[in-house]
Structures are given as C-alpha cells and as structure tokens.
C-alpha cells in the first residue's frame, strides 16, 4: 500500500522539534481515500522523525507562513485525539 | 423606494453577464488551488468575474469568483449605470444609508430557496461543500471568504452580520479570527465567554451582493436594515433550523452551529487583504456545525485576498472612507470629501478640506483615529480643496510638496491595530498593537499671503481668456488628444 501523506505546521525552530517522542500535533491528511476530505485536520498523538524512512507515513513540513520545506519527514500516527465533547 | 437591485447572486450573475463582466467557465476546475489561482489572476488583471459551472469532486455545485472586485461591479450591484464614477457611487451610497433603517421581513420557510436542501446530524459535513484551497500554503480550505456570520447578543435583541473568515478544520469544525474590537468579538468575548455559553451562529455563503457590502461595512446600523437601505426594500429573512437566528432567504448556503467558548484551535496562515500572508498561525475562535441548508445547485462565492484589488480591499476602503465622511460631516468639519485608496489595502485615507482654521488636519486625524474605525487604517493624508482626492497623481503631488517632512507629519502611538499588519513586529501583531500617522498637506494659515507658493498648473496660472483660446485651438494646433 502506498504511504499515506500528511503535513503539519511547525511554529518553533525546526532544530527544537523533538524526535521519536510521543507528542500531540495537528496534521492534515493529504491522501484521503475520498479526495473531498483532502486537508482535513486533526489532533493526533504521533511520533515523528526528520528521517524520511523511519516511520510508516510521510510528513511534509510547513513553517508559520506556509513555507513548504523541501524534504519530508516521517510520522507514525498513534491515535486521533478528539478535542470536542460532542 | 426600491432601487434596481438583486435579491440573490443568481440575478446579479445574470446582470454581470448582460454587462459583459462575467466569464462562464464550463470546463471542470479543481477546488484545490486552480479555482483560487484563476480568481487571483482576475483580481490582479481586473478581469471579468469567473462563474465556475463544474467543480472537480463536487458535481452539482458551482462557484462565483471575485463578485465585487471592481467599482463597475459595485455600481451594477447598486443598480447604477456600470460606468458610474467613484464619487457618484459614493454619493449614492451615502444618500441611501443616511435616513431611516429599513426593517427586514420574514419569509415562510416553505418558500425560502435556502431551505431547498437540509442536512443535519452526520450529514451536515463541511467536506461535502466545495471549500477551495485558495492559496498554496494556507492553513486549510477557506469555505467562507465572501460571506457573513450572523450572531445575536446574549442580553439584548442586537443582531450582527459580520464578515469573519472561516477555515474548515474537520467535518464539523471551522475556525477563524474574530478580532476583539469587532462587533461579534465584543459580543462573544465580552458576554458569552465569561458565562461559558456557546454562541449560536449562522454563516451565510452566496448572499445577494448588497448584503455582502453591508456585512463588511463598519456602520452602526444593524446590517440587515443597512442592506434594506441600500436596496430600498426590506431584506427577506427566514429562521434557522437549529437556532433562533434569521438568515437571508435567497442565500445559497447556510451553515448553522455554535461558537465554542472553552476551546481555541490553530488557524491560518492565510493570504490576507494586505497582499501578504502575515497574521500568525495561532489558536482562534471555533465554530461547530449542526446543520447545513442550501439551494439546489448552490453557488459558493470565492474571494481571493492578495495584492490589490480584491473585494475586501475595494469595499472595505469604500465603506470605511464613507463612514469617516459621515463622522466628519456630523461634526461640522468643512470637508470636501473622503477617499480611501483600495490600492492602499485600506491603510491610507485622503481627506479633502477647506483649511478654514489652524489645526484642522489634526482635528480630522484625532476624530478618525479616535473612532471605532481606527484599527483598520494607519495613514491619514489631509489635502486642501484644490486637490482632487480621487486623483492619485494630484494626491502624491500634494503629499510630496505641501507636507513638511517633520512639521507636517504627526505620529500617533499606542493605537489599537490588527495582527495583519505586515510592517508590525511579531510582538505588535500578537497584541494587535498599531500606530498611525497624519500627513498634513495644507499650507499653514499663518504664513504671509505673499509667501504662499502658487500652484503652477494650466488651470491656475493663465488668464481665463488664454485658457479658452488654447482649448479652442487645441486640435488646430495639431494635437490629437
Ligand atoms: C473578506 C473579508 C474578510 C474579513 N475577515 C475578518 C476576520 O476574519 N476577522 C475579523 O475580525 N474581521 C474580518 N474582516 C473585517 C470585518 O468584516 C469588518 O470589520 C466588518 O466591519 C465587521 O463588522 P463589525 O463592525 O460588525 O465588527 C473581514 C473583512 C473582509 C472584507
């Protein structure tokens, strides 16, 4: 199965981003089955790596004003976190 | 008296077509950037409005781009002749909106076009609507770019329509900035949040053109009644399905739900009206959706904020300038007009005045900077009544020759601002802190008459008989213009 692709906005210095640690991030789904859901955002508990091959899915990185970084990272989504009570 | 105006966007689209100001695109376009890129180019080239008949992944939906990005379209929307000049449109707008507000009327739900389709529960899913990815790099798909949000005060009958952008987060959630000094900001953060109460809202997408104009106008008159004044006839409203708010019956799409008081989520970046992506991605106001109602084959409106000129710049400049005009006239200041330049992204306003007494430019600046309008603009240029405020060449000439580089400029610090100012530093943006400046382009009254420079122009330094003779002989001299 082709890798899934997500992206995320990193609002701190890229060098400060912790790798290989469970953390909560917002990601956007770039490859949903139904294309109408492209860019759906969700909070996720995930582990990320700056290596493209370490985790199963690809993670594209954007900076605070939308600047896309050339090289993707990789991500393992552990679970989607629901922030709403209904 | 009703004017020739349009009860919905469908009639307006037909009028644009009749005036050769519409391009109907039958070819399928992608909601993911292609549609946005087309609308952006339309704004930059001042081309006709695009009417998209086929959107990828969304059969049955249509879209209408750059609905009011030119004065020509504004004139058509007001029922005026398409080539009406800016002063003509301005005077008509001031005439219609001065006087008695026109109360809205209610329409039977069964007859309301916006109720032709009703989705509730799981079916009310935002991804079933063709929200465009407007610019590459935006924080999400912005379904609401030319629209308005209806809300009601917690303790009074006051209802607000305001244009506050909304990004789709997930199936049921939208998010956007609601600035604290906006009417909805004061309502929500001042009343609902302290009581931890969700605030009902209704987002209206694809409203008639004048409701859109009213929703982004900074008038103190309730926007539905203001629309009625612009139309010369009451707006027809219908009650929402899941709350007690009322929305325009002829609108294309209504999204109903609640603004949550206890959570904020990340929104932005987004291409903004200043022509930059400036305001930070940060936690902003959250809208949860309960229902979506819409007309058959609904037409989504798409505005594309960026470098001038889009409808945000054009209409906000137009209505901010004219509200300033009403304010200054109400104070008896002998102004000759107010014009805010759309190309300034509504940051610069030109005020023409008869310099009847010393300090008049400061008085003007104090009034407009001290008003509710002030967070949205930064520069006031006061010119005398010899300068045509609508003529950019004349304004630049006055600015560069009559404004003393030190004594003619007055700075106003510690003003309210917005997070959207590209020139502001990150801390200023975070706290919406602004600063403002007056350029006084009037010659001081205390100068001896003989020392006052004389403007050297054809109209000013030749006797009338010479001017008449030259004008009469112009063609015979050999000039073709
Ligand atoms: C296209 C467009 C988008 C806007 N987006 C926002 C927004 O996201 N948040 C905001 O506070 N104001 C926004 N504004 C400005 C408000 O619409 C404007 O201040 C309006 O007058 C609101 O009315 P109010 O006087 O009821 O607050 C936007 C204006 C336009 C034209």
């Amino acid at each position: 199965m082709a890798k899934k692709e997500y992206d995320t906005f990193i609002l701190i210095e890229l060098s400060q981003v912790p790798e290989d640690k469970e953390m909560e991030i917002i990601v956007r789904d770039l490859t949903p089955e139904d294309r109408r859901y492209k860019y759906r955002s969700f909070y996720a508990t995930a582990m990320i790596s700056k290596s493209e091959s370490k985790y199963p899915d690809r993670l594209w990185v954007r900076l605070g004003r939308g600047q896309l970084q050339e090289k993707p990272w990789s991500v393992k989504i552990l679970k989607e976190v629901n922030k709403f009570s209904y | 008296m009703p004017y020739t105006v349009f009860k919905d966007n469908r009639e307006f689209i037909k009028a644009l077509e009749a005036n050769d100001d519409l391009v109907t695109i039958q070819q399928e376009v992608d909601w993911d950037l292609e549609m946005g890129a087309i609308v952006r180019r339309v704004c930059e080239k001042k081309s006709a409005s695009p009417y998209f008949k086929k959107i990828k992944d969304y059969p049955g939906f249509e879209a209408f781009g750059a609905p009011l990005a030119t004065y020509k379209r504004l004139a058509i929307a007001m029922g005026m002749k398409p080539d009406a000049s800016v002063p003509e449109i301005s005077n008509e707008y001031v005439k219609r909106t001065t006087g008695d507000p026109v109360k809205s009327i209610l329409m039977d739900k069964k007859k309301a076009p916006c109720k032709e389709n009703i989705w509730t529960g799981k079916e009310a899913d935002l991804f079933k609507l063709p929200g465009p990815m407007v610019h590459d790099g935006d924080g999400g798909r912005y379904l609401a770019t030319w629209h308005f949000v209806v809300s009601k005060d917690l303790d009074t009958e006051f209802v607000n329509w305001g244009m506050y952008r909304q990004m789709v987060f997930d199936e049921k959630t939208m998010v956007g900035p609601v600035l604290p000094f906006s009417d909805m900001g004061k309502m929500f953060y001042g009343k609902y949040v302290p009581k931890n109460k969700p605030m009902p809202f209704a987002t209206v997408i694809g409203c008639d053109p004048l409701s859109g104009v009213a929703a982004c106008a900074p008038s103190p008159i309730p926007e539905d009644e203001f629309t009625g004044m612009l139309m010369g006839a009451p707006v027809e409203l219908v009650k929402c399905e899941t709350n007690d708010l009322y929305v325009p019956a002829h609108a294309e799409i209504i999204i109903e739900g609640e603004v949550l008081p206890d959570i904020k989520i990340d929104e932005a970046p987004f291409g903004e009206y200043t022509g930059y992506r400036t305001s930070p991605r940060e936690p902003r106001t959250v809208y949860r959706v309960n229902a979506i109602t819409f007309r058959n084959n609904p037409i989504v409106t798409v505005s594309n904020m960026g470098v001038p000129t889009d409808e945000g710049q054009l209409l906000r400049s137009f209505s901010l300038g004219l509200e300033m005009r009403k304010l200054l006239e109400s104070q008896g200041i002998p102004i000759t007009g107010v014009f805010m330049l759309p190309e300034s992204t509504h940051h610069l306003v030109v005020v023409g005045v008869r310099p009847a007494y010393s300090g008049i430019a400061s008085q003007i600046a104090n009034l407009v900077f001290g008003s509710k309008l002030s967070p949205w603009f930064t520069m006031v240029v006061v010119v005398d009544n010899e300068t045509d405020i609508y003529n950019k060449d004349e304004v630049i000439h006055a600015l560069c020759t009559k404004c003393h580089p030190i004594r003619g400029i007055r700075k106003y610090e510690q003003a309210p601002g917005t997070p959207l100012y590209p020139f502001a530093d990150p801390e200023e943006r975070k706290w919406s802190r602004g600063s403002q400046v007056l350029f006084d382009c009037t010659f001081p009254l205390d100068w001896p008459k003989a020392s006052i420079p004389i403007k050297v122009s054809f109209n000013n330094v030749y006797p009338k008989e010479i001017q008449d003779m030259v004008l009469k002989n112009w063609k015979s001299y050999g000039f073709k213009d």
Side-chain angles (χ1 to χ4, degrees):
Chain A
M1 205 176 78
K3 271 179 189 263
K4 272 203 69 66
E5 300 198 22
Y6 299 95
D7 72 359
T8 194
F9 287 81
I10 303 280
L11 306 177
I12 55 174
E13 282 292 321
L14 295 185
S15 58
Q16 311 271 301
V17 177
E19 294 181 76
D20 308 314
K21 259 176 69 180
E22 263 189 54
M23 56 180 182
E24 192 175 282
I25 54 173
I26 299 177
V27 292
R28 300 191 305 181
D29 188 351
L30 302 180
T31 51
E33 247 168 66
D34 179 344
R35 193 173 178 272
R36 290 178 306 169
Y37 290 79
K38 187 173 175 192
Y39 303 111
R40 175 183 181 274
S41 303
F42 61 95
Y43 284 84
T45 309
M47 302 222 280
I48 63 180
S49 165
K50 288 172 190 169
S51 146
E52 192 182 341
S53 54
K54 177 144 192 190
Y55 292 121
D57 294 326
R58 189 169 289 152
L59 182 69
W60 293 96
V61 171
R62 288 185 183 271
L63 306 185
R65 298 297 179 283
Q67 305 94 322
L68 181 65
Q69 300 304 285
E70 216 170 288
K71 282 190 135 201
W73 298 356
S74 64
V75 62
K76 182 173 187 183
I77 308 263
L78 301 169
K79 66 171 192 301
E80 184 169 338
V81 180
N82 182 11
K83 292 278 172 188
F84 305 104
S85 45
Y86 72 102
Chain B
M1 185 200 61
Y3 307 105
T4 314
V5 293
F6 311 100
K7 71 171 187 306
D8 63 15
N9 252 345
R10 298 179 186 212
E11 286 184 356
F12 181 51
I13 286 171
K14 279 197 200 122
L16 293 187
E17 189 167 36
N19 283 288
D20 209 14
D21 204 7
L22 188 87
V23 171
T24 302
I25 302 179
Q26 300 289 355
Q27 187 178 329
E28 181 180 86
V29 295
D30 198 337
W31 55 266
D32 190 4
L33 297 178
E34 185 185 6
M35 206 151 77
I38 295 169
V39 180
R40 182 90 294 276
R41 192 162 151 81
V42 161
C43 290
E44 292 176 23
K45 285 171 64 74
K46 300 190 176 19
S47 307
S49 281
Y51 176 27
F52 303 101
K53 298 292 283 182
K54 229 190 239 172
I55 305 172
K56 189 169 178 174
D57 305 322
Y58 292 94
F61 287 87
E62 300 180 355
F64 173 37
L68 282 161
T70 61
Y71 288 114
K72 177 177 174 183
R73 268 168 243 159
L74 176 58
I76 295 171
M78 301 255 301
M80 300 175 70
K81 53 184 189 352
D83 59 352
S85 66
V86 181
E88 281 171 333
I89 311 172
S90 304
N91 290 338
E92 183 64 23
Y93 177 94
V94 170
K95 190 184 95 192
R96 289 190 199 176
T97 59
T98 310
D100 293 331
V102 179
K103 291 253 180 253
S104 301
I105 53 174
L106 293 188
M107 193 184 209
D108 181 359
K109 260 193 192 185
K110 288 190 212 89
K111 292 195 189 130
C114 71
K115 304 281 186 187
E116 282 167 352
N117 302 274
I118 298 177
W119 288 340
T120 53
K122 209 161 178 257
E123 212 184 3
D125 173 342
L126 293 164
F127 290 104
K128 287 161 72 180
L129 302 175
M133 177 54 95
V134 181
H135 322 90
D136 190 20
D138 285 351
R141 293 166 65 175
Y142 281 79
L143 186 55
T145 55
W146 191 254
H147 67 293
F148 59 85
V149 183
V150 183
S151 59
K152 189 179 156 297
D153 188 69
L154 187 59
D155 315 314
T156 69
E157 290 308 304
F158 179 71
V159 170
N160 182 57
W161 292 5
M163 209 171 271
Y164 312 106
R165 75 186 191 213
Q166 291 168 318
M167 181 187 101
V168 176
F169 186 82
D170 63 22
E171 291 84 343
K172 288 279 179 197
T173 316
M174 296 190 290
V175 54
V178 178
L179 295 172
F181 47 74
S182 66
D183 285 348
M184 190 166 113
K186 285 183 275 192
M187 217 180 243
F188 180 62
Y189 292 110
K191 296 203 174 171
Y192 286 88
V193 172
K195 296 203 167 130
N196 201 28
K197 281 199 164 192
M199 180 177 81
F201 80 90
T203 295
V204 178
I205 297 175
C207 57
D208 67 88
L210 294 181
S211 294
V213 171
C216 69
S219 163
I221 300 167
E223 286 82 1
D224 63 322
E225 299 179 22
F226 193 83
T227 309
M229 295 166 95
L230 287 171
M231 287 184 165
V235 178
E236 292 178 302
L237 299 178
V238 63
K239 193 161 174 283
C240 282
E241 295 300 301
T242 57
N243 59 39
D244 290 335
L245 299 172
Y246 290 85
V247 290
H250 301 278
E252 298 288 333
I253 300 174
I254 310 293
I255 303 174
E256 303 177 10
E258 289 178 331
V259 190
L260 302 188
D262 52 353
I263 184 169
K264 284 186 171 190
I265 55 182
D266 281 3
E267 187 254 6
F270 185 55
E272 291 167 344
Y273 76 86
T274 60
Y276 296 90
R277 208 149 36 212
T278 303
S279 74
R281 182 170 170 90
E282 61 182 9
R284 299 219 168 112
T285 308
V286 176
Y287 305 80
R288 286 283 281 181
V289 173
N290 295 327
I292 298 174
T293 77
F294 56 99
R295 294 177 70 152
N296 294 333
N297 300 105
I299 309 168
V300 174
T301 27
V302 181
S303 182
N304 185 322
M305 306 287 126
V307 298
T309 312
D310 57 57
E311 37 276 299
Q313 293 148 350
L314 189 111
L315 287 171
R316 292 280 290 149
S317 299
F318 182 76
S319 54
L320 272 165
L322 295 177
E323 285 305 321
M324 279 181 220
R325 169 169 152 185
K326 290 183 195 169
L327 167 73
L328 293 167
E329 282 174 349
S330 76
Q331 300 283 313
I333 314 285
I335 57 164
T336 52
V338 178
F339 180 52
M340 192 174 251
L341 276 74
E343 300 81 1
S344 77
T345 73
H346 64 71
H347 284 177
L348 185 149
V349 65
V350 185
V351 181
V353 69
R354 276 188 296 103
Y357 45 87
S358 294
I360 200 162
S362 293
Q363 188 183 32
I364 289 169
N366 292 341
L367 276 166
V368 296
F369 287 149
S371 73
K372 174 190 185 226
L373 315 169
S374 90
W376 292 106
F377 63 98
T378 55
M379 301 177 187
V380 174
V381 176
V382 177
V383 297
D384 61 26
N385 46 319
E386 282 178 8
T387 310
D388 177 358
I389 58 170
Y390 299 102
N391 183 325
K392 264 186 274 183
D393 289 355
E394 283 197 30
V395 170
I396 295 262
H397 180 248
L399 178 65
C400 301
T401 55
K402 288 180 147 177
C403 179
H404 190 286
I406 297 190
R407 290 193 303 277
I409 297 177
R410 241 146 285 149
K411 293 187 280 186
Y412 293 73
E413 292 175 50
Q414 306 297 341
T418 80
L420 282 69
Y421 285 144
F423 53 76
D425 66 34
E427 199 58 16
E428 287 174 317
R429 284 185 210 144
K430 185 171 165 202
W431 294 103
S432 287
R433 281 206 299 260
S435 20
Q436 294 157 327
V437 59
L438 160 68
F439 298 96
D440 180 354
C441 309
T442 61
F443 286 139
L445 290 182
D446 53 7
W447 285 358
K449 202 167 175 213
S451 318
I452 298 176
I454 297 293
K455 190 171 181 176
V456 182
S457 66
F458 177 77
N459 289 335
N460 209 41
V461 291
Y462 297 96
K464 173 100 175 44
E465 56 278 17
I466 299 286
Q467 287 185 33
D468 289 348
M469 182 183 71
V470 169
L471 290 178
K472 196 167 121 240
N473 292 332
W474 196 247
K475 291 257 150 63
S476 67
Y477 296 142
F479 294 103
K480 300 222 161 31
D481 57 335

